[in-house]
Amino acid sequence: MRIRATVAAVTGALALSALAVPFAQADSRDAASLDRPSAAERFGTSSAKSAFSTAAAVPTVSNVTVNAGKNLVFGTTTVKTFTVSLTATHESGIADAYIDLWHGTDVETDVDGYLGPNEEAATCTASSATTSTCKLTITGDTYADLLKNSLAGNWHVTAGVLSNDGEIYWNDYYKTHKVQRASKLTVNASPEPVVKGKTITVSGKLSRANWETLTYSGLPSGQSVVLQFRKAGSSTYTNVKGIKTATGGALKTTVAASVDGYYRFSYAGITSTAAVNATGDYIDVK
């Protein structure tokens, strides 16, 4: 873990090269802003002290939370505002806090995605003279911020805190949080109605948001999907069998009809792509 006093500015050359997008969308979508503030810029102080300083001199930070701990899922037209928060402690009390999300391998040389807070200062609520919980909001927009599919996955979370006496904690690598491409899953069970014991064919398609074309497209073949069944009158789905997607995200399998109920496909998701359940399709068994 590396704890920094400041955040290096991303050069114009890096911003241009890291945000290269397909020619077809370049005319209509501008490059996302990567203008992240330094600790000194954010907190309005000329000298940001590093957490490498004497441990007692800087605030301590815990409970850094993004979107209530839930993955951030973006489709092709998603604009999502979510809450970020942290708890901080310092002997002088807490004046302000900062949280952002950024994508890349190194904050100094490789940042190609950034989601920063909407507010110029956090709302900090003191639970004691030394400890506060601070909250901010961040807005992410598929169209403006997520121009490349390669941005899907784990994003770094920066946590910063300013104490009442001017001490600063700043960590660009505090934790990671998933920013995922939304997925869709369809299902169709046929024939219907069907005679008990006869074969049912269950088909569907697994697709996900393409942030570059702003459309949905099928996932590559080989994705693991589970066929599930819910008996009529029940609220619980049970696993029937696991299958793999074919080309373009196509799904197809067969089962023997037993009782009335609903069939659906369930996808657990991967790092870049959100989990999803299809809406159950009812089968009437005679």
Side-chain angles (χ1 to χ4, degrees), residues 220-237:
S221 59
Q223 297 294 312
S224 296
V225 176
V226 177
L227 176 66
Q228 298 180 326
F229 179 74
R230 174 169 67 87
K231 185 178 179 181
S234 170
S235 60
T236 304
Y237 277 92

Side-chain angles (χ1 to χ4, degrees), residues 14 51 58 145 153 241-242 245 259 265 279 286:
L14 174 61
V58 298
D145 301 312
K241 63 168 70 173
T245 56
V259 296
F265 289 117
T279 299
K286 300 296 186 182

Side-chain angles (χ1 to χ4, degrees), residues 70 83 102 171 234 239 267 270:
K70 299 176 183 177
T83 299
W102 63 276
N171 184 354
S234 170
N239 294 344
Y267 176 59
I270 54 179

Side-chain angles (χ1 to χ4, degrees), residues 215-284:
T215 60
Y216 278 81
S217 55
L219 271 75
S221 59
Q223 297 294 312
S224 296
V225 176
V226 177
L227 176 66
Q228 298 180 326
F229 179 74
R230 174 169 67 87
K231 185 178 179 181
S234 170
S235 60
T236 304
Y237 277 92
T238 58
N239 294 344
V240 177
K241 63 168 70 173
I243 66 171
K244 302 283 188 179
T245 56
T247 303
L251 294 161
K252 189 174 183 179
T253 189
T254 58
V255 293
S258 56
V259 296
D260 294 352
Y262 300 82
Y263 284 94
R264 75 176 186 185
F265 289 117
S266 179
Y267 176 59
I270 54 179
T271 300
S272 65
T273 307
V276 65
N277 293 318
T279 299
D281 188 33
Y282 183 77
I283 283 289
D284 180 15

Side-chain angles (χ1 to χ4, degrees), residues 42-43 86 94-99 121-122 124 134-136 160-162:
R42 175 63 184 189
F43 294 135
L86 58 75
I94 304 302
D96 194 6
Y98 174 85
I99 299 173
C124 293
C134 300
K135 296 183 179 181
L136 296 146
V161 172
L162 174 68

Side-chain angles (χ1 to χ4, degrees), residues 101-278:
L101 280 73
W102 63 276
H103 186 269
T105 59
D106 189 279
V107 75
E108 295 182 357
T109 62
D110 180 32
V111 176
D112 59 358
Y114 167 60
L115 295 173
N118 298 317
E119 299 84 6
E120 294 185 359
T123 299
C124 293
T125 302
S127 58
S128 70
T130 59
T131 301
S132 293
T133 296
C134 300
K135 296 183 179 181
L136 296 146
T137 64
I138 295 175
T139 298
D141 183 343
T142 302
Y143 189 87
D145 301 312
L146 303 172
L147 276 63
K148 299 186 298 180
N149 292 326
S150 60
L151 291 175
N154 290 316
W155 284 50
H156 297 282
V157 178
T158 298
V161 172
L162 174 68
S163 71
N164 282 329
D165 67 358
E167 297 293 338
I168 290 176
Y169 172 95
W170 192 275
N171 184 354
D172 289 310
Y173 303 87
Y174 188 91
K175 64 187 297 185
T176 60
H177 195 86
K178 285 185 174 61
V179 178
Q180 297 178 307
R181 297 160 66 179
S183 52
K184 292 182 178 180
L185 193 53
T186 62
V187 64
N188 180 60
S190 63
E192 196 275 330
V194 64
V195 175
K196 183 176 180 178
K198 295 294 185 180
T199 298
I200 301 169
T201 298
V202 187
S203 58
K205 181 178 179 179
L206 175 63
S207 59
R208 64 180 169 183
N210 185 322
W211 292 340
E212 296 172 9
T213 63
L214 302 179
T215 60
Y216 278 81
S217 55
L219 271 75
S221 59
Q223 297 294 312
S224 296
V225 176
V226 177
L227 176 66
Q228 298 180 326
F229 179 74
R230 174 169 67 87
K231 185 178 179 181
S234 170
S235 60
T236 304
Y237 277 92
T238 58
N239 294 344
V240 177
K241 63 168 70 173
I243 66 171
K244 302 283 188 179
T245 56
T247 303
L251 294 161
K252 189 174 183 179
T253 189
T254 58
V255 293
S258 56
V259 296
D260 294 352
Y262 300 82
Y263 284 94
R264 75 176 186 185
F265 289 117
S266 179
Y267 176 59
I270 54 179
T271 300
S272 65
T273 307
V276 65
N277 293 318

